[in-house]
Amino acid sequence: MTTQVSGLGSTAGQMARMGLRYLSGRRLRTALTTLAIVFGVALIFAINLVLPSAVDAFNQTMSGIAGADATITSVTGEAFAPEAVLPRLEAIDGVRGITGVLRRQFQLPTLGIRNDNGSVPQIELVGLDPASASQVREFIVSEGRFLEPSDTGKAVLPAGLADLSPQLQVGTTFPLVTAGGLKLYTVVGLLAEQGSVSVPQIYVTLTDAQAAFNQSGLINAVEVSFDPRADREAVTAAIEQTLGDAYTLNTGSSSTDTLAAMQIGFAMMDLLGLLALFLGAFLIFNTFRTVIVERRHDLAMLRAVGATRRQITQMIVIESLIQGVLGTLIGLLLGYLMAQGVVSFMGRFWATYLNRGALELRLNAPAVLGAVALGLVTALIAGYFPARAAGKVSPLDALRPATTASIHRAARWSLIIGAGLMALAVLLLLTGSKGAAGGALLFLIGMVLAAPGLVMPAARLFSPILTLWYAREGDLARSNLVRQPGRAAITGSTLMIGLATLVTIAAIVSAFSGLINTLADANFGSDLILLPPSISIYDTVIGADENLAARLRALPEVEAVGSLRYASAAAGGQSLQVLGIDPNAYPQVATFEFSQGEPDKVFAALDSERNAIVTSLALSSLGVPVGSDVVLQTANGPQTYRIVGVANDLFTFKLAVMFISQANLAADFHKTEDIMLMVNLTPDADKAAALAKVQDILTDYPQFTARLTGEYREEIVRTSASAMYLFYALAFLILIPAALGLLNTLTINILERTREIGVVRAVGGSRTQVRRIVTAEALLLGVFGAAMGVLAGVAMSYGFIAAFATAGWEMPYQFPLLGVVAAIVIGVVLALFASVLPARSAARLDIIRALQYE
Amino acid sequence: MPIVRTDSLTKTYGDAAHPVSALNAVNLAVEEGEFLAIMGPSGSGKSTLLYLLGGLERPTSGQVWLRDHDLSKLNDNDLSRLRRTAIGFVFQFFNLIPVLTAQENVAIPLILDGMPRAQALKQADEALAKVGLSDRATHRPSEISGGQQQRVALARALVTKPAVILADEPTGNLDSRSSDEVVQMLRHTVDEWGQTLILVTHDPRIAAYADRIVFLKDGKIVDENRLKGQGTADQIREQLSRVALQ
């Protein structure tokens, strides 16, 4: 007798070989079961491939001039007066050089520089003081000369950038977008460096940069170099202490909200991946339960010839692991392709919309390991429980005729706990909007728990309808179904989750579309709109000075011009966008969707003192009611603003935004550029002609695009609607496992009842009748799942929409009638579809063989 | 000393209020190298006896001894090990794993016991040669005839060189030609290799090949026939009907 330990490898190897053969014998089922794992792993892997490089790209472009030891910015990210900082830094021990810079990234519409990745859409214009900058960082000139303090209209570039563009050589001139329109700069020197590939830097004098950004006398960063012998941490600490809370030693604080929004987006995708994996687990579980019924004989025989329980359990676990490995591998591959797709799609979006650094795919160990671990663990857990049940198959099952499917009683406690949870969930849904999302999930869990107890009443409730079509077979189908309430409940629950997701998505999509339509009406009251290259994220937008608005007003067709101006700020530790409007001109060209406050009074209030309108999202993130005072970190230090109204528009409803008057924005933030303009035309003006004239003016301001507002509105509404269809697609993906679950359950039921089916046939049941029994059973299951799905879906959609409202996205709840109808139809259709194969194989059973089946 | 022995072996099904006696104080001893057939009418307890001898079922009282192991005292893991090393089973429905080849099916008990695969497959080849199926080693069960499948099952039972082979109606699912083939092969294992064999059957033609037949009725041994392989089917049929009418 060989010992067990020495040969474990051989046994496991044989188990794996056997598992593979079983799996390849049922290719379609294996593929479908594995699909859910593939999908989950792919999503999670893709996200974690892109995320680090996205964050890096983000930080990279936000970081300062390379070579400086520290970069100091204001907490708001806005510009400040150099006098406020520089003298205080000079006194600190260990600081060697200090220089104030004004820099900003923006788009280069006309330069046409190309690199390997295509055109360079953005650059960083860095304004520096040539004398002090050299103390902070060495600039090695490879050709021409470095900047001199007296230079105007002169620029120095990295040689790497010049290599890419033949027009950019010493002595040539190139145009740059500035707040004052296009300006020409002459290249006077090249630096012996490659420069940043994704965001090339162009150096000009501080005075030129201040003019270009319309921020005279201001800087937005201080670069510091340390004495090489100094203790860096001590110097850093001393700087932090000296400057206090208004400044930070960091890289890119102004963009943390963008970063946070991005991370939330990625987290939501991660969640979707996890949901897919969860359903994958459900599916593997369900499939292996089927497998064990199907293979009861083989398992019993193995036990009879001496396999231990553990060996049997091992075999099934190995089999589910094979699926896990397979699904994970394919998932990794698919995830990589998805990530590439995302990068090439987002890269374009990134470049043109956000003006951020290039995205690149980076294979990293945590992403690979994380996805692999999740995929395998899911398969392992899902396979373990059926595997344990497989170990309990008695060796006698190989010798004795099978006992017929036993009748199980539904566990009463499960129904009671489930009903209790559902009641609690309804309370949560009705009373607190804070706990609404939790209530929605609780309802779902309660439903899953109560499901076994609901099988019988549901079967009673729906079978009268069934007898309309299946007069003779309906009763038999019903009694078959309720024999195994646990199994029917699991199948119904899978279907329920799928359909509830569908109903919820339908409800959210319709509420969202309604919201977008309402908000779009508010934004698009004007005739023409002048859009910056990026919308919603303005810190890289070069606006226009007042000349542009003045030139627009001078057109005879123009009746009114309103504009938005931008600054970033912080309140209560949270970053906020501040948008400046002219309280008199703005209401003529656009409006807000007010949820609190009288529009007339609020606009009037904005004109005096420091009053502000906030978006719902800002109000909930500040956590204060209307009428309260909020201390805002401004470029001028802390200022107190009073909230006088809550309103949203299409561009701001998903952001924390505070609207203040343009006068206050200029005083507290030194910002006077218009970043978006809306134009009203005189009633008899020819819109097309006016648009042409405006476009003509915009040749000097290429950062803007002029559009007919109505046309643009249609485009936005259409785009957002098509994005919504993506969610429907995801809901349908979730229904695939549900359909497979149905198929599995029907298959088990037929396998277990082979002998009974033989009896039905022997006593004169026709093939058609047998088929109709199976179809009727499937229909009952489908209707059961659909009914639960509709209930759970209504609860979930209500909960999620309430939760959105707490987060500041107020949408009216409408009963998702369309979703409910769709869920019922889809549930029934899926059930019919899933019943085709089992019904056919039941009908084709050979009577004699079925009677002998053991 | 007998290789298999039972001592007041009793098996009762059902609950205390409604006991159904399947086997009642059976004492049986099987010598090494003996071919024993168990016969009896339906419900006489012959299958139950076989399951108890194979450690598939636990006795209500009494003992089963296989060599010096008391089966009633072993736990599930020890019983499993005993089944894969000391007992060979042949079932009515051949019970081969459909996804494995004949050779791999035969090797299963060895592999389960931890033998390296190559070695296990080599021994499986030898066992297949004994049942005359060397040329079918790479076929799957669905690709060979019923008689051949049962011979593969016999090879699987032989491969571990078990102390005893237990066969439960091994010809019950075969036509008469295949039945003869299989039972002759069983006889051959006893004659050539001294294999101990216990077989349950209701077919007198098959039982006629045995050294000894015990007749069971209502869970008790009621008759015996020590024909040493010399009996005829008619003689046995007659004895069987006598037992049934008693």
Side-chain angles (χ1 to χ4, degrees), chain A residues 161-301:
Chain A
L161 179 59
D163 288 344
L164 294 172
S165 173
Q167 308 101 290
L168 289 179
Q169 301 302 333
V170 173
T172 58
T173 58
F174 63 93
L176 269 189
V177 178
T178 73
L182 279 179
K183 288 271 170 355
L184 287 177
Y185 287 81
T186 307
V187 180
V188 295
L190 299 180
L191 296 176
E193 57 180 63
Q194 194 58 38
S196 160
V197 180
S198 53
V199 191
Q201 289 170 322
I202 294 180
Y203 301 102
V204 298
T205 60
L206 187 55
T207 343
D208 272 357
Q210 287 165 341
F213 303 142
N214 202 19
Q215 288 179 310
S216 165
L218 298 173
I219 57 175
N220 60 10
V222 176
E223 305 289 338
V224 182
S225 67
F226 299 162
D227 191 315
R229 286 152 302 176
D231 175 356
R232 302 179 70 89
E233 282 180 27
V235 180
T236 311
I239 293 174
E240 279 175 343
Q241 201 192 342
T242 309
L243 295 178
D245 292 342
Y247 297 92
T248 42
L249 262 173
N250 66 0
T251 52
S253 71
S254 69
S255 301
T256 46
D257 53 345
T258 317
L259 192 63
M262 203 164 77
Q263 279 168 335
I264 288 172
F266 282 116
M268 278 172 71
M269 297 299 278
D270 260 341
L271 195 74
L272 203 68
L274 286 176
L275 192 70
L277 273 182
F278 172 74
L279 282 164
F282 224 124
L283 195 58
I284 288 191
F285 178 75
N286 186 313
T287 301
F288 275 94
R289 278 164 51 116
T290 318
V291 159
I292 284 154
V293 173
E294 281 175 354
R295 258 192 255 156
R296 197 173 45 86
H297 262 97
D298 297 1
L299 296 174
M301 194 282 299

Side-chain angles (χ1 to χ4, degrees), chain A residues 728-750:
Chain A
Y728 280 120
L730 290 173
F732 280 107
L733 274 175
I734 283 172
L735 282 170
I736 294 177
L740 197 60
L742 270 171
L743 182 68
N744 277 341
T745 298
L746 291 171
T747 308
I748 306 187
N749 286 357
I750 286 162

Side-chain angles (χ1 to χ4, degrees), chain B residues 23-235:
Chain B
L23 220 52
N24 197 354
V26 168
N27 293 307
L28 178 72
V30 183
E31 296 299 326
E32 189 155 5
E34 190 179 7
F35 182 168
L36 175 76
I38 302 172
M39 295 195 83
S42 284
S44 60
K46 52 188 194 297
S47 288
T48 306
L49 178 58
L50 198 76
Y51 302 157
L52 285 161
L53 294 178
L56 295 174
E57 193 100 76
R58 286 177 181 281
T60 310
S61 68
Q63 278 104 40
V64 178
W65 295 87
L66 178 65
R67 291 211 173 108
D68 47 1
H69 298 286
D70 179 356
L71 263 53
S72 54
K73 293 225 166 63
L74 297 179
N75 66 23
D76 191 81
N77 278 343
D78 291 336
L79 274 178
S80 295
R81 186 161 55 235
L82 206 65
R83 282 203 299 270
R84 67 178 181 254
T85 55
I87 302 172
F89 277 105
V90 181
F91 305 113
Q92 177 180 4
F93 300 98
F94 328 117
N95 283 315
L96 300 175
I97 306 275
V99 297
L100 299 182
T101 62
Q103 186 197 29
E104 286 169 324
N105 263 295
V106 173
I108 276 274
L110 301 176
I111 287 170
L112 286 173
D113 199 44
M115 184 181 286
R117 181 176 158 84
Q119 194 186 337
L121 290 180
K122 199 166 148 271
Q123 293 195 14
D125 275 338
E126 290 164 14
L128 279 171
K130 283 182 180 176
V131 299
L133 280 178
S134 293
D135 56 335
R136 293 286 184 270
T138 56
H139 288 59
R140 298 229 176 151
S142 57
E143 296 161 357
I144 55 181
S145 74
Q148 288 172 332
Q149 287 186 49
Q150 195 60 303
R151 278 151 68 192
V152 172
L154 179 60
R156 184 180 63 198
L158 286 169
V159 77
T160 57
K161 303 188 174 68
V164 59
I165 287 182
L166 303 174
D168 184 15
E169 301 274 14
T171 58
N173 220 24
L174 296 175
D175 57 53
S176 60
R177 227 190 82 204
S178 302
S179 296
D180 289 343
E181 221 175 88
V182 166
V183 77
Q184 277 161 18
M185 196 145 278
L186 289 172
R187 184 71 240 178
H188 186 71
T189 64
V190 176
D191 294 342
E192 291 297 305
W193 307 304
Q195 180 67 56
T196 312
L197 184 70
I198 301 174
L199 175 145
V200 165
T201 185
H202 59 264
D203 184 347
R205 279 184 343 109
I206 302 300
Y209 285 87
D211 296 328
R212 174 162 66 114
I213 305 174
V214 292
F215 294 91
L216 237 61
K217 192 186 177 190
D218 299 333
K220 285 181 188 156
I221 295 180
V222 292
D223 202 355
E224 204 180 44
N225 180 346
R226 294 179 177 271
L227 38 75
K228 301 273 181 203
Q230 303 302 315
T232 64
D234 288 339
Q235 190 189 336

Side-chain angles (χ1 to χ4, degrees), chain A residues 522-535:
Chain A
N523 272 89
F524 300 122
S526 66
D527 295 314
L528 302 180
I529 188 161
L530 277 64
L531 299 159
S534 106
I535 290 173

